[in-house]
Amino acid sequence: MGARFQQGMRWLTGIAVVLTLWWGWQLQHEIVVLRSLTHTATAVRQRITRLDTEITRVRRAERRPLAALAHATQTLHQVVRRLQQQELSVTLTCQDPTPVTLAELALMARPCQLTMPATDLLAVIEVLRVLEQTQVVLVRLRLHRTEGMTMELQVIGPVEQTRSHRTIRREIP
């Protein structure tokens, strides 16, 4: 009976050791998962905080009404003329405006393409600075070592309301 008891104790001890190791492995696995989730949650909270800060900054920014599409395009042409007066071969070609909707605003977008040589980096920086201050969306910028720079732009402007002219009839006595 003593031998059977000893054998039973060994089996129980073996089962207890295996269960303890299995439980320890499960616990370690859960700790790793918890740390991963905690790290992800922290990263998400930081990103939300940054986005809230950015949204607050955008809400506080000065809002100016958009200039008419013709005026915005004219400003762009003036910049190109000024660069051409500096003897740079800058060209600007624009197409007919197309209607677009942005954040429930009815707008017109005029696709344009601006090309200039890659020899004058200061002119490129000046163009980018002017575009940054106007109502232009830079769609694509391509810099090539020999061909120069090509910018595809969308000049944005409000839909200009056309006034209906009414004829007023007056009766002459």
Side-chain angles (χ1 to χ4, degrees):
M1 176 130 166
R4 286 176 84 185
F5 179 73
Q6 294 255 337
Q7 177 112 4
M9 287 302 288
R10 278 190 222 131
W11 272 100
L12 286 175
T13 303
I15 290 172
V17 167
V18 168
L19 286 175
T20 302
L21 290 174
W22 178 80
W23 181 76
W25 179 79
Q26 288 292 328
L27 182 62
Q28 184 64 27
H29 176 70
E30 294 302 320
I31 289 172
V32 168
V33 169
L34 179 65
R35 284 182 184 158
S36 173
L37 291 174
T38 303
H39 177 70
T40 302
T42 302
V44 167
R45 274 193 295 276
Q46 289 173 349
R47 188 170 179 205
I48 288 172
T49 302
R50 282 193 309 267
L51 290 174
D52 282 342
T53 304
E54 184 71 19
I55 288 170
T56 303
R57 195 180 75 166
V58 167
R59 285 183 179 157
R60 290 181 185 162
E62 176 187 352
R63 291 188 184 102
R64 296 177 300 185
L66 289 174
L69 184 60
H71 177 69
T73 307
Q74 182 183 12
T75 303
L76 197 55
H77 280 289
Q78 288 172 350
V79 171
V80 170
R81 261 186 255 119
R82 191 171 67 230
L83 290 171
Q84 287 172 344
Q85 288 171 353
Q86 296 173 8
E87 298 181 358
L88 290 172
S89 59
V90 180
T91 59
L92 177 69
T93 54
C94 292
Q95 301 172 8
D96 291 334
T98 57
V100 294
T101 303
L102 179 66
E104 299 181 5
L105 295 174
L107 300 173
M108 297 295 282
R110 175 170 282 146
C112 295
Q113 185 173 3
L114 180 79
T115 57
M116 62 189 311
T119 56
D120 194 352
L121 188 59
L122 292 177
V124 172
I125 292 171
E126 182 180 352
V127 166
L128 290 173
R129 187 177 50 80
V130 168
L131 293 180
E132 196 176 76
Q133 297 170 354
T134 58
Q135 56 200 43
V136 172
V137 176
L138 180 59
V139 178
R140 193 175 88 160
L141 173 66
R142 180 178 175 263
L143 288 171
H144 193 271
R145 202 174 357 180
T146 57
E147 295 175 14
M149 179 188 72
T150 304
M151 287 183 183
E152 292 178 14
L153 316 164
Q154 293 281 342
V155 183
I156 305 294
V159 174
E160 295 171 5
Q161 300 292 330
T162 56
R163 296 182 185 172
S164 61
H165 298 286
R166 292 185 182 170
T167 305
I168 301 174
R169 291 175 40 186
R170 291 189 179 175
E171 299 206 9
I172 301 175

